[in-house]
């Protein structure tokens, strides 16, 4: 047993004052993050005169609350040398443990990011990321990300990437990129780059906006004037030219030099460039010239979809061509925000106005992009919440059949989800303020419940949190860490890992999804309802404002009579006990539910239901 007394140096006069006492029954080990202040620690081992050592304190992961110490120098006062040697060896053992964890985590990130969607071992395990790139102080900058990875957390490193040198000059590049990117190189990590709309110069740069109609990539009106909005009927050559401009900058050349052999490079576009919608096809003279003014809506969607496939692939081809490093060219993929089907499918008849649906294809985007990151959002601009039918949990059920279709069209499609809770600090539309007016409390734990439901419903490759570029970790980190914890648990718990890889999502065929407006016939029989029946459900039928006390779903492995299920449950508005949940084609189980969510492991063979206990 060691008794540890801490002293904090007094900034005035150099005296020391006791901070607190600790009793330690085992060596303090683990992996450190950034060093904090230096402490003077007095160790009083039994039977041995006291030893004074100057140590530096490190925090072991922002999720664990454990600590390690690393000796900088030591002074013996009446003690024996073996005591000091013991302390030094403790530090060395800790460093070896840190290195092992660091390499293990990096290898896991590398392995899962490069694993095929249809691997024989099952689905790739998830990674955590953010849209906030830390270009302002106290954001989610690359140094923070590397620290988290070295502590054992499963993040996909992300960097800001701007096209123009004025927004990211060489000096900025050195400070922002070099250290972290070279650490990524040392660890063999995949990397990703977040940008605004790559095609933006086509409508905002006079070089392209001023081109004659026959060469212009924008909408050409009947009178020959140009509308600053990209068109699927515009000249395609400009798309590849602009793509190449993004990757031929001096900054991009330097990035390839600092990290010459990444296993995966993911370029992510915000993908919100104003573009011609299918209802307005007749406003582009080139469409009228080629197809006339009396085409059907189906034809409009079909030809516009093909136009976008051709142009976005040309844009990406130009970006790939601009890269100078052969490994980067080979390992780069291009992912678009919301380059996927809409979650509002069936909520009202007008959903199709925001879609490029054609018969047997809900959207063209898996053919136009290598991946998509749709928004699993509680939006601040509508009435959606995390506790009613109009919620991301319910709407994302539409994505299950769409994801199956995406993999059929593009087996390598990189599927992420972007998550947001509707937080808009100091804004009238702030969703947390709305909850407060309802007498509710919105906590990171409640956020975690919604996050995990989306994770297990869809099992995406990345869970990417949306936060504004100016938001800080001080404001948002407790919420981001819930995503990190949810991801890490999949790696660290054998039950969760097995179900993530091999589990089959179980539909609840007792009900149809309440969104039933204007459903195309070929999709009418697709499974879209995965919410399990519970003993606290409101009476059917439900509407958009129906409150759902408990959200639950399950995954299944095996066949009768030896099936196993992982049941996930969460209750946004508070804890609930002894809730009965119906596992489809099995029986009822009784569980307790928390806002942060609980996992239960159910076995048919011995009729057991056990809470999955998670570390940390």
């Amino acid at each position: 047993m060691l008794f540890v007394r801490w002293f904090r140096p007094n900034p005035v006069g150099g005296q020391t004052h006791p901070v607190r006492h600790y009793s330690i029954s085992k060596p303090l080990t683990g992996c450190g993050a950034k060093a904090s202040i230096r402490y003077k620690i007095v160790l009083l081992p039994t039977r041995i005169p006291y030893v004074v050592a100057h140590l530096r304190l490190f925090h072991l992961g922002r999720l664990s609350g454990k600590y390690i110490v690393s000796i900088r120098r030591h002074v013996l006062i009446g003690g024996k040398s073996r005591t000091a040697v013991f302390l030094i060896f403790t530090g060395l053992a800790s460093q070896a443990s840190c290195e092992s964890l660091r390499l293990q985590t990096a290898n896991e990130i590398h392995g899962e990011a490069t694993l095929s969607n249809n691997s024989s071992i099952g689905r790739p395990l998830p990674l955590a990321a953010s849209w906030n790139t830390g270009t302002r102080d106290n954001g989610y900058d690359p140094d923070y990300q590397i620290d988290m990875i070295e502590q054992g957390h499963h993040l996909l490193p992300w960097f800001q990437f701007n096209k123009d040198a004025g927004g990211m000059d060489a000096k900025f590049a050195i400070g922002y990129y070099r250290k972290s990117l070279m650490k990524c190189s040392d660890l063999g990590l995949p990397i990703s780059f977040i940008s605004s709309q790559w095609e933006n110069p086509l409508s905002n740069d006079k070089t392209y906006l001023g081109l004659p109609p026959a060469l212009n990539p924008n909408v050409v009106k009947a009178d020959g004037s140009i509308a600053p909005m990209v068109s699927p009927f515009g000249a395609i050559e400009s798309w590849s030219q602009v793509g190449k401009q993004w990757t031929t900058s001096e900054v991009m050349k330097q990035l390839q030099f600092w990290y010459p052999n990444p296993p995966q490079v993911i370029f992510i576009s915000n993908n919100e460039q104003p573009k011609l919608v299918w209802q307005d096809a007749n406003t582009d003279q080139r469409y009228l010239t080629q197809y006339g003014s009396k085409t059907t809506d189906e034809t409009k969607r079909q030809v516009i979809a093909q136009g976008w496939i051709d142009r976005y692939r040309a844009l990406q081809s130009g970006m790939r061509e601009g890269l100078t490093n052969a490994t980067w060219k080979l390992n780069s993929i291009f992912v678009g925000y919301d380059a996927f089907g809409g979650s509002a499918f069936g909520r009202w008849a007008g959903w199709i106005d925001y879609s490029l649906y054609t018969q047997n294809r809900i959207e063209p985007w898996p053919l136009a992009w290598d991946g998509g990151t749709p928004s699993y959002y509680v939006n601040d601009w509508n009435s959606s919440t995390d506790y009613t039918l109009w919620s991301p949990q319910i709407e994302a059920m539409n994505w299950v059949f769409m994801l199956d279709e995406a993999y059929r069209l593009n087996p390598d499609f990189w599927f992420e989800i972007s998550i947001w809770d509707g937080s808009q600090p100091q804004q009238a539309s702030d969703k947390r303020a709305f909850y407060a007016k309802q007498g509710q409390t919105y906590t990171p734990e409640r956020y975690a419940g919604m996050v995990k439901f989306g994770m297990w419903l869809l099992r995406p490759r990345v869970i990417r949190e949306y936060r504004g570029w100016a938001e800080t970790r001080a404001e948002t980190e407790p919420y981001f860490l819930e995503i990190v914890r949810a991801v890490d648990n999949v790696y660290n718990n054998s039950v969760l890992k097995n179900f993530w890889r091999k589990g089959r999502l179980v539909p609840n065929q007792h009900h149809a999804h309440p969104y039933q407006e204007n459903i195309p016939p070929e999709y009418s029989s697709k499974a879209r309802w995965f919410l399990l029946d519970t003993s606290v459900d409101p009476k059917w039928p439900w509407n958009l404002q129906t409150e759902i006390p408990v959200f639950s779903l399950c995954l299944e492995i095996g066949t009768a009579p030896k099936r196993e299920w992982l049941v996930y449950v969460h209750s946004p508005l508070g804890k609930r006990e002894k809730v009965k949940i119906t596992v489809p084609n099995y029986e009822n189980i009784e569980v307790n539910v928390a806002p942060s969510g609980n996992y239960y492991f159910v076995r048919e063979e011995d009729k057991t239901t056990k809470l999955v206990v998670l570390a940390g």
Side-chain angles (χ1 to χ4, degrees), residues 437-466:
K437 290 178 182 178
Q438 314 306 309
Q440 302 173 18
T441 301
Y442 193 83
T443 63
E445 291 75 22
R446 176 171 166 179
Y447 176 65
M450 181 189 80
V451 166
K452 286 182 276 191
F453 192 95
M455 281 178 57
W456 286 93
L457 176 69
L458 301 160
R459 284 174 287 174
R461 302 195 70 131
V462 177
I463 296 89
R464 187 177 300 277
E465 183 179 58
Y466 170 72

Side-chain angles (χ1 to χ4, degrees), residues 170-331:
K171 184 177 179 181
F172 178 90
I174 291 174
Y176 179 78
Y177 288 117
R178 183 170 63 177
K179 178 183 174 183
S180 296
L181 197 61
M182 293 179 76
K183 279 196 174 183
C184 287
S185 179
D186 290 341
L187 294 170
L189 293 169
I191 51 176
S192 58
F193 295 95
I194 293 176
S195 304
S196 60
Q197 293 69 236
W198 302 324
E199 69 273 33
N200 180 269
L202 296 175
S203 299
N204 289 278
D205 187 331
K206 292 181 180 179
T207 302
Y208 301 101
L209 191 59
L211 288 171
L215 301 176
N216 204 292
N218 295 284
V219 172
V220 178
K221 298 180 181 179
D223 62 2
S225 63
I226 306 299
M229 176 185 299
V230 291
S231 169
F233 311 109
I236 200 169
E237 294 81 4
S238 297
W239 288 75
S240 56
Q241 291 172 12
V242 165
K244 192 172 182 178
Q245 290 174 14
W246 274 88
T247 52
T248 52
S249 67
E250 291 303 314
V251 169
M252 178 52 70
K253 292 176 183 176
Q254 187 63 63
L255 300 184
Q256 294 169 82
F257 175 77
W258 284 330
Y259 193 177
N261 59 338
Q264 181 86 293
V265 182
I266 305 167
F267 290 97
I268 303 168
S269 168
N270 193 47
N271 192 32
E272 292 183 325
Q273 180 68 19
K275 54 175 69 75
L276 183 70
V277 297
W278 67 263
Q279 299 95 323
D280 297 333
N282 288 357
T283 64
D284 193 314
Q285 183 60 43
R286 289 164 299 194
Y287 176 82
L288 292 175
T289 299
Q290 188 169 358
Y291 300 101
S293 61
K294 298 181 179 180
T295 51
T296 65
D297 290 348
E298 174 87 359
T299 297
K300 290 177 182 178
R301 290 194 294 269
Q302 184 176 29
V303 298
I304 284 180
Q306 188 59 52
W308 292 136
I309 292 170
D310 296 340
R311 282 153 185 79
Y312 279 99
R313 285 305 188 187
L315 178 72
Q316 297 156 27
S317 178
M319 294 180 71
R320 192 184 305 277
E321 183 182 351
L323 296 168
T324 56
N325 180 293
T327 301
W328 281 60
K329 289 188 179 196
L330 179 65
N331 293 340

Side-chain angles (χ1 to χ4, degrees), residues 83-143:
T83 305
V85 171
F86 166 77
L87 292 171
I88 291 171
F89 283 172
T90 298
L92 293 176
S94 174
Q95 291 176 13
S97 175
C98 287
E99 181 66 11
S100 175
L101 179 60
R102 187 174 80 106
L103 294 178
Q104 176 186 331
T105 305
N107 288 338
E108 288 172 340
I109 294 170
H110 177 132
E112 300 305 326
T114 57
L115 190 67
S116 168
N117 285 335
N118 55 5
S119 167
S120 60
I121 68 171
R123 290 174 180 258
L125 302 185
L127 299 168
S130 175
W131 282 93
N132 181 302
T133 56
T135 53
R136 296 187 66 175
D137 289 344
N138 196 28
Y140 294 87
D141 58 80
D143 288 346

Side-chain angles (χ1 to χ4, degrees), residues 470-534:
E471 291 187 81
T472 66
R473 291 203 311 271
E475 299 167 318
T476 63
E477 188 180 35
Y479 296 85
F480 178 66
L481 291 182
E482 292 297 343
I483 294 178
V484 175
R485 180 181 286 108
V487 166
D488 287 342
N489 282 334
V490 179
Y491 289 81
N492 299 331
N493 184 277
S494 60
V495 173
L496 298 190
K497 180 185 289 188
N498 189 39
F499 275 94
W500 188 281
R501 292 228 192 264
K502 298 289 189 179
R504 302 182 298 271
L505 183 65
V506 179
N508 178 0
Q509 297 176 334
H510 189 236
H511 299 285
H513 196 296
Y515 290 10
Q516 291 293 329
E517 295 292 327
N518 200 17
I519 303 298
E522 68 270 32
Y523 295 125
S524 62
S525 62
K526 295 291 185 181
R528 294 193 294 125
W529 189 244
F530 302 94
L531 192 73
L532 305 184
D533 293 337
T534 80

